[in-house]
Amino acid sequence: MKYKAKIIVKLKEKIKDSKGEAVSAVLKRINLEDDAKVRLGKVFEFEISAAHANEADVKLKEIIDKVLVNPVVETYEILEFKPYSLKEGEK
């Protein structure tokens, strides 16, 4: 069975987000927002193959811990994690 995962990875709040600050500065400079406080992140979407939900959950956590996130400076949120049907994938 396949499972669809969507994860967002962001810098921890205490870590300076230079890119977010740059976007905030542009918004202020072009008079769209005076105090935007933008923070950037990365979204990862992928499929996991597993025999059952528990195995998929273990795989997802291992992918996050070993590949996607540096826990010293980053945090993550699982935005979506669900069984993935072939019909849905054909859209």
Side-chain angles (χ1 to χ4, degrees):
M1 180 167 219
K2 296 245 185 211
Y3 295 83
K4 183 177 181 181
K6 186 185 292 186
I7 314 299
I8 186 167
V9 177
K10 300 185 287 185
L11 290 172
K12 289 182 176 181
E13 288 296 323
K14 64 182 179 181
I15 304 297
K16 182 178 178 175
D17 185 348
S18 300
K19 292 179 182 178
E21 289 175 0
V23 172
S24 295
V26 169
L27 292 174
K28 185 174 184 174
R29 187 171 53 245
I30 63 175
N31 295 317
L32 283 177
E33 181 60 50
D34 287 337
D35 193 26
K37 293 193 177 37
V38 175
R39 295 192 59 84
L40 279 93
K42 301 173 274 189
V43 175
F44 296 90
E45 294 184 30
F46 52 93
E47 295 176 11
I48 296 173
S49 297
H52 50 78
N54 288 342
E55 180 185 348
D57 188 54
V58 168
K59 277 185 161 182
L60 176 62
K61 298 261 183 340
E62 192 170 3
I63 290 168
I64 291 168
D65 292 342
K66 292 184 176 181
V67 180
L68 301 182
V69 176
N70 176 347
V72 174
V73 295
E74 294 174 319
T75 186
Y76 71 92
E77 180 181 348
I78 299 171
L79 301 175
E80 181 180 319
F81 187 52
K82 65 181 184 178
Y84 181 69
S85 70
L86 291 177
K87 288 183 181 179
E88 183 180 343
E90 293 173 353
K91 290 182 182 178

